[in-house]
Amino acid sequence: MRFRIKYRKGGWTVYLGHLEMLRLWQRAMRRAGLPLAYSRGFNPHPRLSFGPALAVGIEGLAEYLDVELAHPLSDEEIKERLGAELPVGLELILVLSVPEGAPALTSVINAAAYRVSWDEPKDAETIRERVSALLAAPVIEVVRSSKEGTGVKDIRPGVYRLDVLDNGFLDMLLECSAKGVVRPEEVLQALALEGTYRLTRTGLFIRQNGRLLTPEEFVEPPSPARGRHRSAVTRR
Amino acid sequence: MRDGELEKLLSRVSRPSRYLGTEWNAVHKDWEENPARMAFIYPDLYEVGMSHLGLAILYGAVNERAGMLMERAFAPGPDLEALLRQNHIPLFSLESHRPLYEFDVLGFTLQYEMSYTTILNILDLAGIPLLAGERTAAHPLIIGGGPGAANPEPLAPFFDAFLLGDGEEALPELLALVADLKKKGTINDRRRVLQTIAGLPGFYVPSLYEVKYNDDGTVAEVVPREKGVPARVSKRVIPDLDTAYFPTRPIVPFLEVIHDRIMLEVMRGCTHGCRFCQAGAIYRPVRERDLALLLRQAEELVRHTGHEEISLTSLSTADYSRVEELAQTLTAAYADRGVSISLPSLRVDAFSVRLAEAVQRVRKSTLTFAPEAGSQRLRDVINKGVDEEDILTATAEAFRAGWQAIKLYFMIGLPTEEEGDLLGIVHLARRILDVGRKLAPGGRPTVTVSVSSFVPKPWTAFQWEPQDRIEVIKRKQEMLRRHLKGPGMKFNWHEAEVSFIEAVLSRGDRRLSKAIAAAWRRGARLEGWTEHFNFTLWEEAFRETGIDPAFYAYRPRRDDEVFPWDHLDFGVSKAFLKKERRRAREGRVTADCRSGRCSGCGVCPGLGVDLILKGGSPGHAV
């Protein structure tokens, strides 16, 4: 039985790295007495899979993980038992069962939404002008360093939306998939809008044919019987 | 510190989860409602400190009581230290993020000599004067405990008091006293406070003692400066661990710490009596816990932590008289719950291998043994109590059971060691590798030889012995390195300079405090980490303070010499240690007191305690 968990990562837990989150969830699930399914082999470990990692220091309003259980429990019971075992700052939003064979979170999630707010509020008009100029550019080159060295990367194809709110906040929808990631910091750098700001990841999505689906909506496995790929079905 | 301020720091340091204080089972008690407030400080990084069972025990023992609270603090990483210094932010506790100077008591655990400079660094980061004599009622009481209290003299000028022995009863007593003194308003009279603490059993207040020296630099005597101060301070002992407090809701760290697992303390103490081993001496007598109690504690620990591993902790777990039953019951109980059992310290014998095999359903890649010396003669000198046959049988058994790699711990520079003993290490390792080639599945076994250098320690039969000179140790390491090459063979060694500083500090006196302070001022800290240890700082510190480190490390002690720790009492008698030293010279082994033959170390009659074995207790000599 696979379950999808949607949670908020806030408070002090924003300082936990991806591996720390993995350990934290495993231990919370054990404390909650969930009947975890273990991998086979020499070093069995519980079958947990996470959505895209969230950088340390960033709050996540809608993060996801999938867990496999050896025998079924109701969504409500999992939510209740697991919710009681989470440290301050982590909050369970939703637990729902996912059909066998549903695609893994990392293989389907391809977009991430972020909100930026600056410590010194900026004028919305100024930001709007810069955003329009940026989106009009055919190419947005940023410097990116990796293990192989430093290179220049065009992030324009991965910048899906930039919306400026009247209060001067900036909302972004950026590529976040197994194929590539555009970091919000890179966009801010390209906009020359760095300063001191707070970043929040407000959501993770499956962007498909111009539609945005949430991972709780995208739970049905592909159905070859129908002869065509049925990519998404709303569960309830 | 305001939380906004902390957030700014956390976003700029590596591993910020070290400093949050919001881990599962962390205790946040109300500051106002608990007038006696203590911070437990492990003078090393979080990941080392959180692996310490003593912290978990004392944290729980204090926090379960009304009127007192204990928070934690660790050495900050170098990046956070730099930020604290730049921004003039005092070092803080994890739970409430309060400056350490706001606590009534700061308790440092003295786990090893190389943390002493870190202690000074922490006091400095907390804005507290290093010298006890310069502190006032406005400052916390600085106390120390743990194995370093076996000879705390090099730290004496920095500390207000030391606690000798077990702390789970003594520490709440101290905090109750502090609460009482605060209520009465006498807490502001530092002198009175220290006199009162000196009256508590197990607490040693170094400033109330005067050390007199002989012309040759040795200690003549250590005497109380005033009436009413005990001439000798005895260690505290919890006589029965079954009735002692044990934490079943320990903190579950976010960060992966060194020992990231449940630590189930099956017993305290060790009966082997290895002549170099300080822990074996100062934690006597052996006190085993009841099997049914351990099973209950294990169940609660699993439920309250969610850990995936239970480590059966003690100095020598295979000795626990009901270890097979314990290991089998736990393995069976948790097999399908994803919780495995581990045994951190094993004897070198076939029984231990079978035990390891029984608990490790999943084959671990390496099994570790500690023969300590390469020849039978030298193993008898150190009273290791295993012979070559034991070692070969055990390792063969391990290879046969599927282990691919064997790790062997040895010590070099032991008293009476000769070249033949070192070659014995090489021969033994080679023989074990040959056995492995025959027996290990796949036929690609590895043998790792890990060599540390002998450090003479107080309260051992070897406390009179000199340490090998640095250049001699290096020559020996080089010889072993040359011989332990080739496929399947690996060789590790400890830095000789580190062992030298350990030797200087472990048997040091109060005069050494100046060198510790000088080394710290030159930048020494976090010296347990190879990347931070810098021997030059110590050389400069000794030169600056006019202290000759060779006097402490290389000088053989006279048989009748007064030691800087002779006014402390850990139960083991000096007469027994002298006898053991003689027997070592004669190559005579001394039986383990589990066998029923009392070796007469003096602990049981001296401290009014008894050996507690759950498989039945042997009798004692009178």
Side-chain angles (χ1 to χ4, degrees), chain B residues 557-620:
Chain B
R557 308 294 199 259
R558 281 194 330 268
D559 206 47
D560 59 348
E561 185 168 331
V562 174
F563 294 135
W565 54 92
D566 274 355
H567 57 302
L568 308 179
D569 179 11
F570 277 78
V572 177
S573 76
K574 206 167 179 178
F576 167 75
L577 295 175
K578 276 183 190 165
K579 192 176 85 191
E580 281 295 290
R581 184 187 187 206
R582 249 189 343 264
R583 291 174 71 91
R585 288 278 150 93
E586 295 159 4
R588 289 166 67 194
V589 298
T590 297
D592 183 324
C593 57
R594 275 175 189 277
S595 67
R597 287 230 317 269
C598 172
S599 56
C601 73
V603 168
C604 294
L607 297 173
V609 289
D610 211 348
L611 188 69
I612 297 180
L613 302 179
K614 296 302 177 178
S617 292
H620 285 286

Side-chain angles (χ1 to χ4, degrees), chain B residues 370-384:
Chain B
E372 306 290 2
S375 70
Q376 194 54 47
R377 186 198 67 80
L378 194 51
R379 280 193 297 272
D380 288 345
V381 167
I382 64 177
N383 204 37
K384 187 60 201 179

